[in-house]
Amino acid sequence: MVKLDDTELDRTFAALADPTRRALLARLGSQDGASVSELAEPFPVSLPAILKHLNVLSDAGLITRQKTGRTVTCRLNAGPMADAMAWLDHYQQFWSTRLDRLTEFVENDPS
Amino acid sequence: MVKLDDTELDRTFAALADPTRRALLARLGSQDGASVSELAEPFPVSLPAILKHLNVLSDAGLITRQKTGRTVTCRLNAGPMADAMAWLDHYQQFWSTRLDRLTEFVENDPS
DNA sequence: GTCTAACTTAACCATGTGGTTAAGTGTATG
DNA sequence: CATACACTTAACCACATGGTTAAGTTAGAC
């Protein structure tokens, strides 16, 4: 939410541009912490392929990896998404006034 | 805002992953309609390079192009951004400090 | 008709991406 | 200690991306 370095936005959007990576993030959103092999299991691709995706997500700062013993636990780090969302937010005026009440709620929230 | 076709999200996020393209969108956000050469002028790259970027933006549905005479007017079409934002919205709980009241709002929402 | 401006397409190049298989590095476990 | 497990790295491949220069359309201007 802090440094709006452009290359960071680049990496964030690029990381989100792949369905496998979005699925990985979704998994980490619904389950707090998962091992690499656990994450890879549902996908029909090799483990190294998933590793590469995880590296992209790490480089974008969207996940963190913590090694304990021989297993590595991945966790969601949604911070960069907030920056992406903030960027998109500037264009909300262009997709017609009514947005879902959820966003409205957040933005009108006085705290 | 309707069809959450994954390949569409792919293209949207991919299109947003380039600073030149985000700058083009920013320009079209502050100025309603601009010709191709007008858009290309501020950038230190060749016109065909900008053309390619505009094609990516068109393919992602983020701009429309309308030919009048020999000039082509580009206009912002923010619709796909709304989809991207909706996707990101699911993760707001992971960075929002207002997590509790937000989830509360969603869960108690009678609709 | 000719010229020129506005845009597009073509051909090429370097680099990045998403996948593979095979080999390497640690860390439990028997 | 040997072996297997969890993850990583290496080497390779096909294809996409972002850039270039050069050539091709098409529509006004002279």
Side-chain angles (χ1 to χ4, degrees):
Chain A
M1 199 85 101
V2 195
K3 54 162 174 276
L4 261 288
D5 188 355
D6 259 19
T7 71
E8 198 168 321
L9 260 190
D10 291 357
R11 276 197 287 261
T12 302
F13 279 127
L16 295 175
D18 183 280
T20 302
R21 286 194 293 263
R22 287 199 305 277
L24 288 168
L25 291 173
R27 173 81 176 270
L28 291 176
S30 65
Q31 166 191 353
D32 176 57
S35 74
V36 170
S37 32
E38 205 175 345
L39 283 171
E41 190 272 327
F43 296 97
V45 298
S46 68
L47 204 131
I50 297 294
L51 250 297
K52 285 196 185 181
H53 284 304
L54 292 177
N55 287 336
V56 173
L57 291 172
S58 299
D59 289 351
L62 286 165
I63 63 168
T64 61
R65 277 145 111 180
Q66 182 196 344
K67 187 165 191 169
T68 349
R70 62 182 166 182
T71 81
V72 170
T73 304
C74 302
R75 250 171 260 281
L76 181 62
N77 182 349
M81 290 190 197
D83 294 335
M85 193 119 168
W87 189 89
L88 287 169
D89 213 37
H90 295 145
Y91 295 89
Q92 260 193 22
Q93 48 177 312
F94 294 106
W95 68 74
S96 71
T97 50
R98 50 88 206 77
L99 336 143
D100 36 319
R101 283 142 32 260
L102 185 67
T103 322
E104 215 170 301
F105 170 78
V106 173
E107 295 192 334
N108 296 340
D109 189 24
S111 74
Chain B
M1 198 86 104
V2 194
K3 56 162 173 276
L4 260 287
D5 187 356
D6 259 20
T7 71
E8 197 169 320
L9 261 190
D10 291 357
R11 276 197 286 261
T12 304
F13 279 126
L16 295 176
D18 183 281
T20 303
R21 288 194 291 264
R22 286 199 307 276
L24 288 168
L25 291 173
R27 173 82 176 271
L28 291 176
S30 65
Q31 164 190 354
D32 176 57
S35 73
V36 170
S37 33
E38 205 174 346
L39 284 170
E41 190 272 326
F43 295 96
V45 297
S46 68
L47 204 131
I50 297 295
L51 251 297
K52 286 195 184 182
H53 285 304
L54 292 176
N55 287 336
V56 173
L57 291 171
S58 299
D59 290 351
L62 287 165
I63 63 168
T64 61
R65 277 144 111 179
Q66 181 196 348
K67 187 163 191 171
T68 349
R70 64 181 163 179
T71 81
V72 171
T73 305
C74 302
R75 250 171 261 280
L76 182 62
N77 182 351
M81 290 191 198
D83 294 335
M85 193 114 169
W87 188 90
L88 287 169
D89 216 36
H90 294 144
Y91 295 89
Q92 242 184 48
Q93 51 177 309
F94 295 105
W95 73 72
S96 175
T97 55
R98 294 159 285 176
L99 167 69
D100 299 343
R101 281 170 304 105
L102 186 66
T103 347
E104 204 176 314
F105 171 78
V106 173
E107 289 180 348
N108 296 342
D109 189 20
S111 71

